[in-house]
């Protein structure tokens, strides 16, 4: 059964991926209906396409219609269209041309060059990236803008046979796309290590810069919005890091003399009593031996008292 060349006002463009698979794109001339897209999609040069393959790229669509004429640009989905100003480049070029008739002013005099301080900030090493094509939902539309109107007429002519879909080795498609995506999401460990190390260096550098820009600097008083000076406990004489008013140390308040700061040494951890089972057993054994020893001493004392009170008539 032969496929119709046109359907609902659209021209059928068959595209062959292989000898056994064929995809159909439906095209027609674009009729401007939105004022916002009037400049971006000019009438007479824009081709409206429906049923675009999900993995189609601008380069592939440009090569597909390259035989019709020069393709200016490809726009996917009309919602993302931005007005295209053709005179914008010429306006920028005119701005770059200096006005030779103007008189030199005082601001145009040569100034002394300032010393440029080199920032030795560490750079973040990015992870390796792979350029992959963007997958869009099936059945989406696109607009293809030609350089002239004659190219549009050639694109709308009836195709006698299926056109081969252009293949780009730099942008894998099909199963190769998913294999490349899988590999890109799992970079080598060396690259991950370099990225992590550089991230830490950048973070430490930024943290050091924030510390240098801190308000707590020597000789500068810290005043809040209400005009009050921040009072903090500082050195021996009450000098704080931020300057201004400070509270002296307690030792200086008592004696009026300074002393070297003694670092807080960690106290040796004492061994806890009755913590282990053998400690409890030894304690019970020693208590029983002490109790028995005292009982023997008390019994000896009692026997001595009895002997001293015994009646001896002779």
């Amino acid at each position: 059964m032969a496929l119709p060349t046109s359907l609902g006002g659209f021209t059928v463009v068959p595209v062959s991926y292989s000898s056994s698979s064929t995809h159909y794109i439906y095209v027609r001339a674009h009729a401007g209906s939105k004022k916002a897209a009037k400049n971006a999609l000019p009438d007479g040069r824009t081709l409206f396409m429906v049923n675009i393959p999900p993995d189609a790229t601008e380069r592939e669509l440009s090569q597909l219609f390259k035989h019709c004429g020069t393709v200016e640009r490809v726009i996917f989905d009309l919602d993302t269209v931005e007005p295209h100003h053709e005179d914008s480049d010429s306006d920028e070029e005119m701005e770059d041309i200096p006005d030779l008739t103007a008189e030199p002013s005082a601001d145009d005099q040569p100034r002394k060059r300032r010393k440029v301080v080199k920032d030795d900030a560490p750079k973040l090493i990015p992870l390796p990236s792979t350029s992959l094509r963007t997958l869009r939902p099936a059945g989406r539309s696109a607009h293809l803008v030609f350089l002239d109107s004659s190219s549009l007429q050639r694109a709308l002519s009836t195709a006698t046979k299926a056109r081969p879909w252009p293949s780009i080795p730099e942008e894998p498609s099909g199963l190769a796309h998913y294999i490349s995506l899988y590999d890109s999401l799992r970079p080598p460990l060396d690259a991950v290590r370099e990225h992590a190390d550089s991230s830490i260096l950048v973070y430490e550098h930024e943290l050091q810069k924030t510390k240098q820009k801190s308000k707590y600097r020597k000789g500068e008083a810290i005043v809040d919005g209400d005009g009050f000076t921040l009072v903090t406990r500082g050195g021996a004489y009450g000098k704080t890091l931020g300057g201004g008013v400070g509270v002296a140390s307690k030792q200086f308040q008592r004696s009026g003399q300074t002393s070297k700061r003694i670092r807080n040494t960690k106290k040796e951890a004492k061994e806890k009593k009755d913590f282990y089972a053998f400690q409890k057993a030894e304690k019970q054994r020693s208590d029983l031996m002490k109790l028995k020893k005292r009982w023997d001493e008390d019994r000896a004392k009692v026997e001595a008292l009895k002997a001293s009170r015994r009646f001896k008539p002779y």
Side-chain angles (χ1 to χ4, degrees):
M1 182 178 177
L3 189 72
T5 57
S6 61
L7 185 64
F10 286 86
T11 302
V12 180
V13 179
V15 177
S16 62
Y17 281 97
S18 62
S19 59
S20 59
S21 61
T22 304
H23 183 81
Y24 297 96
I25 301 177
Y26 305 96
V27 300
R28 66 172 174 82
H30 169 71
S33 57
K34 293 187 177 181
K35 295 182 180 180
K38 188 174 182 180
N39 295 329
L41 305 175
D43 295 339
R45 296 192 294 117
T46 304
L47 182 69
F48 178 62
M49 300 176 290
V50 182
N51 196 28
I52 299 297
D55 57 347
T57 61
E58 297 181 8
R59 186 177 176 183
E60 290 175 343
L61 291 175
S62 299
Q63 291 186 0
L64 180 63
F65 291 94
K66 186 178 180 180
H67 66 282
C68 300
T70 305
V71 178
E72 184 176 343
R73 62 184 178 276
V74 178
I75 302 172
F76 290 96
D77 301 330
L78 192 59
D79 296 336
T80 60
V81 171
E82 296 181 358
H84 178 74
H85 301 284
E86 296 180 354
D87 298 335
S88 58
D89 297 337
S90 60
D91 294 340
E92 293 178 358
E93 293 177 357
M94 292 296 293
E95 291 178 357
D96 297 337
I97 299 175
D99 189 3
L100 301 178
T101 60
E103 296 181 358
S105 59
D107 297 337
D108 297 336
Q109 299 297 329
R111 299 179 180 179
K112 295 182 179 180
R113 294 183 179 180
R114 296 181 180 179
K115 294 182 179 180
V116 179
V117 180
K118 294 183 178 180
D119 189 9
D120 298 335
K123 296 183 179 180
L124 180 64
I125 302 176
L127 293 173
S129 59
T130 306
S131 59
L132 299 174
R133 61 179 66 220
T134 303
L135 298 182
R136 298 178 177 83
R140 300 304 290 267
S141 60
H143 291 77
L144 189 143
V145 181
F146 288 102
L147 194 61
D148 51 8
S149 58
S150 60
S151 301
L152 177 63
Q153 298 301 326
R154 286 191 292 268
L156 293 174
S157 61
T158 305
T160 56
K161 60 179 181 179
R163 302 173 186 174
W165 183 260
S167 60
I168 302 176
E170 294 81 6
E171 299 178 357
S173 61
L175 182 60
H177 167 80
Y178 292 99
I179 295 175
S180 301
L181 178 62
Y182 179 87
D183 295 337
S184 63
L185 295 177
R186 291 160 179 82
L189 294 179
D190 296 339
V192 176
R193 187 182 297 108
E194 292 180 357
H195 176 72
D197 294 342
S198 61
S199 300
I200 295 174
L201 292 177
V202 171
Y203 172 76
E204 291 178 351
H205 179 75
E206 295 295 333
L207 186 63
Q208 189 67 22
K209 288 176 63 178
T210 54
K211 288 183 179 179
Q212 293 177 356
K213 295 180 181 179
S214 176
K215 296 181 179 179
Y216 293 89
R217 292 182 179 179
K218 189 174 181 180
E220 296 181 5
I222 303 171
V223 183
D224 58 6
D226 298 331
F228 292 94
T229 304
L230 178 64
V231 180
T232 56
R233 183 173 297 281
Y237 297 99
K239 294 180 180 179
T240 60
L241 294 175
V245 181
V247 181
S249 61
K250 294 180 180 179
Q251 185 174 356
F252 180 77
Q253 292 177 1
R254 291 194 299 265
S255 61
Q257 297 179 355
T258 62
S259 61
K260 296 182 179 180
R261 294 183 179 179
I262 302 175
R263 295 182 178 178
N264 295 328
T265 56
K266 294 183 179 180
K267 297 181 179 180
E268 297 181 359
K270 296 182 179 180
E271 185 178 357
K272 295 182 179 180
K273 296 181 179 180
D274 302 338
F275 185 75
Y276 299 100
F278 74 91
Q279 292 178 336
K280 294 182 180 180
E282 289 181 358
K283 183 179 180 182
Q284 291 177 358
R285 190 183 301 109
S286 61
D287 292 343
L288 288 175
M289 294 297 292
K290 290 179 181 179
L291 184 62
K292 185 178 180 181
K293 184 178 180 180
R294 290 177 183 175
W295 185 79
D296 292 340
E297 292 177 354
D298 293 341
R299 188 176 62 177
K301 290 180 181 180
V302 171
E303 293 294 336
L305 290 174
K306 287 181 179 181
S308 61
R309 293 179 182 179
R310 185 175 297 177
F311 177 72
K312 294 180 179 180
Y314 303 100

